[in-house]
Amino acid sequence: MFMKNLVKGCKKYDGYCATCFKRVFPDDPRSKLIYCSAKEIKVRNAINKHYADFVHDKPIYTDACECVHRRRVDHRKLIGNTILAIETDEFAHRSYDPHDEEVRYDDLYMIHSGKWIFIRFNPDSNRESKKTTVESKLNHLIKEIQIQTERIERAENEELIEVIKMYC
């Protein structure tokens, strides 16, 4: 007995579902019309404008890893023995279970056993930043990325995992 496909492809996207089409063919003009997380894309564009070599939303694979999970980080870059990770936390991840977040950090550490610096960035308005525009927040994020990059390059990050929360 076999199961029917749960997701059908679309003729408009050459037999792919919209999500897979966008991932497989990111440069296709049709991909630009597919809705995706607009805030995360705004953050990605700001990072890419100022920094090279950040990997966006791809599973972390290593040659020696036979993990059953393929955790994704919104934006990551390996600098020396440290991964600088930027997570776009829409709505400050208020609905997320803090224990699940800790398990996620542990899983990611098992994939890369070097050091990690996570910048948790909330692009949304909240009580503390109602008057702060997204553009202003993005400028602060870019400055924080520079600060953390310099810390990593000077080997000043001593903890295995550091979490910096911005507007969360």
Side-chain angles (χ1 to χ4, degrees):
M1 180 197 284
F2 64 92
M3 294 179 57
K4 290 184 178 183
N5 289 342
L6 299 174
V7 178
K8 284 189 171 185
C10 178
K11 287 182 184 179
K12 181 178 177 180
Y13 299 119
D14 303 336
Y16 291 88
C17 71
T19 302
C20 291
F21 185 85
K22 186 172 185 77
R23 190 171 307 277
V24 174
F25 305 105
D27 297 327
D28 189 292
R30 294 172 287 177
S31 291
K32 293 176 179 29
L33 303 175
I34 298 171
Y35 173 78
C36 60
S37 178
K39 295 170 192 166
E40 185 177 316
I41 297 304
K42 233 181 210 186
V43 173
R44 182 203 63 199
N45 291 345
I47 292 170
N48 289 348
K49 182 178 176 183
H50 296 279
Y51 300 100
D53 303 326
F54 269 91
V55 176
H56 175 254
D57 195 35
K58 299 234 187 290
I60 299 174
Y61 294 96
T62 61
D63 292 336
C65 182
E66 294 183 22
C67 304
V68 294
H69 57 77
R70 296 289 181 223
R71 294 285 193 174
R72 294 175 182 269
V73 175
D74 291 342
H75 319 276
R76 73 177 190 273
K77 181 177 182 176
L78 179 63
I79 305 169
N81 69 342
T82 302
I83 291 184
L84 177 58
I86 293 89
E87 295 279 37
T88 305
D89 291 352
E90 290 107 336
F91 309 109
H93 282 193
R94 282 182 291 246
S95 63
Y96 284 42
D97 181 346
H99 176 72
D100 290 342
E101 292 289 300
E102 291 299 320
V103 169
R104 184 169 186 276
Y105 291 141
D106 292 344
D107 287 348
L108 288 168
Y109 183 78
M110 294 307 293
I111 296 169
H112 171 75
S113 297
K115 297 177 184 177
W116 287 81
I117 295 179
F118 288 91
I119 300 174
R120 308 298 300 250
F121 177 74
N122 177 14
D124 299 303
S125 318
N126 54 24
R127 279 181 246 131
E128 295 82 31
S129 63
K130 278 185 182 175
K131 296 179 183 174
T132 306
T133 65
V134 173
E135 290 74 23
S136 177
K137 287 182 171 187
L138 287 170
N139 287 335
H140 285 112
L141 173 64
I142 297 305
K143 289 176 187 171
E144 187 65 34
I145 291 171
Q146 185 61 40
I147 289 167
Q148 297 308 320
T149 299
E150 291 171 3
R151 283 186 65 234
I152 294 166
E153 289 171 345
R154 291 189 305 261
E156 293 176 356
N157 58 313
E158 296 177 7
E159 300 295 321
L160 291 177
I161 298 175
E162 294 180 34
V163 180
I164 298 159
K165 294 186 177 184
M166 296 184 71
Y167 306 105
C168 294

